[in-house]
Amino acid sequence: MEILGSDINLKENLLFSLKRYRVWWAILIITIIFDYLTTLYFVSKLSSEAEANNVVAWLIDNLGLYIGVLIGKLLQLVAVILIVSLSKKVGNLFLLIIIVLNCWAVVMNTIPNY
């Protein structure tokens, strides 16, 4: 596929990342699951207004807690797949950043909010 004058092989880039960074992808899936579960916990205790991600808060308000958070996490996974497919170097850095952000979100979701 040609994007901005550069020939980019989306499938090749994604397969390269899945093969070379297999552990990172496994960690990403685990952090997505933990973030999903902890988001369900804290939003059920407080409300969707406490959710920092406006897209997820909107999804929760319009689709319900479980479906809204699930779609938000699926959108995150799709974004990672697309960015990784566009670039071998930048994409895998993005993968690592999302893992760190998910870990941070799990911590923030589990801090008691009295």
Side-chain angles (χ1 to χ4, degrees), residues 14 58 60 81 96-97 107:
L14 179 61
W58 183 85
I60 291 168
I81 290 170
L96 184 58
I97 290 169
V107 170

Side-chain angles (χ1 to χ4, degrees), residues 29-72:
I29 298 301
I30 291 167
T31 61
I32 284 175
I33 292 168
F34 275 102
D35 187 22
Y36 173 79
L37 295 173
T38 59
T39 300
L40 291 179
Y41 169 76
F42 103 89
V43 170
S44 68
K45 293 275 186 200
L46 301 173
S47 72
S48 63
E49 294 176 7
E51 174 59 47
N53 185 328
N54 291 331
V55 173
V56 174
W58 183 85
L59 288 168
I60 291 168
D61 289 339
N62 290 286
L63 301 175
L65 178 61
Y66 297 101
I67 299 298
V69 176
L70 178 65
I71 291 174

Side-chain angles (χ1 to χ4, degrees), residues 89-108:
K89 294 179 182 179
V90 175
N92 292 310
L93 178 61
F94 185 73
L95 171 64
L96 184 58
I97 290 169
I98 296 301
I99 290 170
V100 171
L101 286 174
N102 280 343
C103 291
W104 176 71
V106 169
V107 170
M108 295 306 292

